[in-house]
Amino acid sequence: MQQEQLILALDDIGAVRFGSFRLKSGVQSPFYLDLRAAVTRPQLCRAMAELLVARTTALTYDAVVGIPYTAVPIATHISAITGKPLLQLRKERKHYGTGGLVVGDYSAGMRCLVVDDLVTTGQSKLETIEALKAEGLQAEHIAVIIDRSSDAESQLAAHGLQLHALSSVAELVKTLLRAGRISRTDAEAVDRFIHRDGQSDDTVVRKPTAPAAPLLQRIRDTMQRKKSNLVLSLDVTDQQRFFAILEACAPALCMVKTHADIMQGDLEAFSSRLRRTAEQSDLLILEDRKFADIGSTVQKQYRGGPARIAEWADLVTVHMIAGEAILDGLRADSDSTAGTECGALLLARMSSRGNLISQEYTRRVFEIGGRRRYQVPGYIGHAEDRAALRTLKRQVPPGQLLLVPGVHLSEQGDDLGQQYLDVNSAVRGGADAIIVGRGIYQEQDAAAAAQSYRSAAWSALQHRLEEET
Ligand code: 5BU
């Protein structure tokens, strides 16, 4: 089978559809691809594998890995055709026995060909490669059936990875148009969609295509670029007011913290606009959801419901009370067209009076987070004063961040249990970033307040870093 025949065969079984489809991101797309039905057909699956083998014939690799689930049967065929061993990936991390995310007989240093059905953002590929590297495996080449993005190839190339796609969406459309399978109107709609503003569909409301592990680096880079270690906790419920304050304060912030469940009105409009503002203003979004349930429920709360947090937040907050598996519930769905996995900030110590978190609990939180650096860039922690915060900071695993809420320049607390530290105590005590809410958004001139918090927190950080070196 040739590439063009494959495209027609995919069209025959309805794997390629034209019309109007709402992607998980909320974006309306004029086409939809779903290769799950294709891999259940052995001949078609075999044909896809043969074409991928032909496409990658010049490459040297020792094993084949298919990204679950759709690409696993394709990878199995490739393994059978080439005689190279097949390795499998677990979708969920295993908590018992030996072994991590890779299943199969392998040894460190083996070079893997990573196979997937589609590439949308390149994100799940980066995550897979990260997981392989964690097991001592190498992977530089990714083979996919269809590249549905306009920039995944260059995104992956930026990470030193080479993408080998059988077809782009543009080629697929051309073939179907030539065969009289679609109308010129459909073809033009796809073309406009792919090339609108020179952007891929992922950049409209979705998160940037940075992989989870470099999230920590992204936070640090944003802080450095904006000379800000200030996170605004924008706990206002009216969307208009929210965006008016956010836009005014944005230059002073490295991150905005939200509570999507307090927002009034259309959450989709909220998250779309928030995402756009974050891109334009070089901000990260932390959704302070404080996930705390069992992994399976958390997975639904994270991906579904009216908020669909997974699609727009860069980071979420997580309680460890239910145990480490909650973090598996917060992994990205590699089959999804939604955005990337969020980083998790673990709640190590709270600022509210009388909270039940014990020292032992905090210690265990750092222990778990330290093992999960790819997913956990840092922690939320508070202490009653600078000295106590220093003690807390000493326990944070090296390289991870401590974000401190409950910070106010003039108040000591509120009448609902909040306890405040001043900016200097928080930062000199060990905060890498401070989280400020009412101290900023309740001020008449929120932008000016944000600037004074930023400048106080940033210079305190520079002093502390000097002290530490
Ligand atoms: P404030 O207005 O600066 O008091 O708001 C603090 C924010 O930080 C608010 O959104 C809380 O939900 C959040 N917070 C906190 O205050 N203390 C904690 O220990 C944690 C979060 Br965790």
Side-chain angles (χ1 to χ4, degrees):
M1 194 183 272
Q2 297 300 310
Q3 183 191 318
E4 294 201 351
Q5 289 170 293
L6 171 70
I7 290 170
L8 298 179
L10 292 175
D11 183 49
D12 285 339
I13 61 159
V16 189
R17 282 184 282 153
F18 296 87
S20 186
F21 303 91
R22 200 172 151 284
L23 300 180
K24 284 193 182 177
S25 59
V27 172
Q28 212 69 29
S29 165
F31 71 97
Y32 188 73
L33 299 171
D34 185 353
L35 267 53
R36 280 174 294 190
V39 301
T40 59
R41 291 166 165 80
Q43 281 176 338
L44 195 48
C45 191
R46 175 87 184 179
M48 289 193 282
E50 281 168 354
L51 284 168
L52 283 180
V53 169
R55 181 82 172 74
T56 54
T57 186
L59 307 180
T60 322
Y61 58 94
D62 309 305
V64 193
V65 184
I67 298 185
Y69 291 102
T70 312
V72 172
I74 305 175
T76 310
H77 277 285
I78 294 178
S79 162
I81 296 166
T82 59
K84 312 254 191 211
L86 175 77
L87 300 180
Q88 299 198 68
L89 287 167
R90 281 180 216 285
K91 277 204 96 170
E92 309 295 343
R93 189 173 283 271
K94 192 180 165 197
H95 293 284
Y96 49 86
T98 57
L101 285 167
V102 182
V103 183
D105 188 13
Y106 63 91
S107 50
M110 270 169 103
R111 291 156 300 184
C112 301
L113 175 69
V114 175
V115 181
D116 210 351
D117 51 343
L118 305 172
V119 57
T120 302
T121 61
Q123 180 56 32
S124 60
K125 298 359 158 215
L126 290 170
E127 282 163 13
T128 300
I129 282 161
E130 205 190 311
L132 293 172
K133 283 188 174 158
E135 304 288 330
L137 293 162
Q138 297 182 39
E140 284 171 6
H141 297 282
I142 300 149
V144 300
I145 307 296
I146 297 168
D147 175 359
R148 67 185 300 288
S149 76
S150 62
D151 64 348
E153 190 170 356
S154 54
Q155 295 274 355
L156 291 168
H159 291 268
L161 304 169
Q162 235 180 305
L163 180 69
H164 310 270
L166 286 187
S167 172
S168 65
V169 171
E171 286 166 332
L172 177 138
V173 164
K174 221 187 280 171
T175 304
L176 294 177
L177 189 63
R178 222 181 295 127
R181 301 271 185 115
I182 55 167
S183 67
R184 189 157 294 280
T185 318
D186 276 342
E188 282 166 2
V190 174
D191 195 56
R192 269 197 308 277
F193 181 76
I194 300 173
H195 295 108
R196 68 192 187 289
D197 305 327
Q199 307 271 301
S200 82
D201 55 327
D202 304 316
T203 51
V204 178
V205 288
R206 290 205 211 137
K207 296 176 280 180
T209 54
L215 189 55
L216 175 61
Q217 197 52 46
R218 227 180 103 212
I219 301 171
R220 288 193 190 283
D221 289 348
T222 309
M223 285 166 60
Q224 209 56 46
R225 256 193 322 270
K226 298 194 75 178
K227 300 212 174 331
S228 169
N229 52 340
L230 174 64
V231 180
L232 172 60
S233 179
L234 195 34
D235 303 331
V236 304
T237 57
D238 176 78
Q239 291 197 24
Q240 230 175 331
R241 181 159 175 244
F242 179 100
F243 286 109
I245 298 175
L246 181 58
E247 278 153 27
C249 296
L253 312 175
C254 60
M255 199 181 289
V256 56
K257 185 172 84 61
T258 55
H259 285 286
D261 55 359
I262 68 170
M263 295 314 298
Q264 294 162 356
D266 178 358
L267 271 187
E268 201 154 311
F270 170 71
S271 59
S272 256
R273 182 160 173 201
L274 179 59
R275 197 62 250 165
R276 257 196 308 276
T277 310
E279 306 301 339
Q280 281 159 6
S281 311
D282 195 11
L283 288 177
L284 289 126
I285 303 172
L286 164 59
E287 163 57 21
D288 194 5
R289 176 62 183 74
K290 298 190 177 68
F291 289 105
D293 215 314
I294 59 166
S296 138
T297 302
V298 158
Q299 192 167 59
K300 292 174 192 152
Q301 293 171 325
Y302 171 61
R303 295 182 190 164
R308 299 214 307 269
I309 295 163
E311 294 171 18
W312 50 269
D314 297 299
L315 294 147
V316 291
T317 50
V318 187
H319 276 298
M320 278 294 112
I321 187 75
E324 187 173 354
I326 193 172
L327 291 170
D328 292 325
L330 293 171
R331 298 298 316 271
D333 172 2
S334 58
D335 280 351
S336 104
T337 50
T340 63
E341 171 176 300
C342 297
L345 294 177
L346 309 187
L347 295 160
R349 186 83 71 77
M350 292 195 69
S351 66
S352 45
R353 195 179 322 116
N355 75 77
L356 303 181
I357 293 181
S358 68
Q359 283 189 11
E360 174 59 9
Y361 179 94
T362 302
R363 191 188 66 72
R364 299 284 295 277
V365 170
F366 290 137
E367 199 179 277
I368 294 171
R371 281 202 297 272
R372 298 256 191 165
R373 280 159 197 275
Y374 67 93
Q375 195 181 7
V376 178
Y379 307 84
I380 308 282
H382 183 98
E384 54 281 14
D385 55 31
R386 177 168 160 175
L389 198 59
R390 281 204 164 177
T391 310
L392 182 72
K393 180 62 184 281
R394 273 197 285 273
Q395 298 176 58
V396 174
Q400 289 174 309
L401 302 171
L402 179 66
L403 283 75
V404 177
V407 177
H408 205 294
L409 277 170
S410 51
E411 301 288 331
Q412 308 288 310
D414 66 14
D415 51 12
L416 293 174
Q418 178 68 301
Q419 305 175 109
Y420 286 126
L421 278 167
D422 64 88
V423 174
N424 212 42
S425 305
V427 179
R428 301 295 286 266
D432 296 299
I434 55 165
I435 301 176
V436 182
R438 287 164 285 183
I440 294 174
Y441 69 78
Q442 276 185 346
E443 288 298 305
Q444 194 79 34
D445 187 346
Q451 276 303 350
S452 25
Y453 275 91
R454 185 209 64 83
S455 106
W458 187 251
S459 66
L461 182 65
Q462 304 318 307
H463 279 113
R464 193 187 85 213
L465 295 176
E466 268 165 38
E467 256 170 34
E468 284 171 3
T469 50

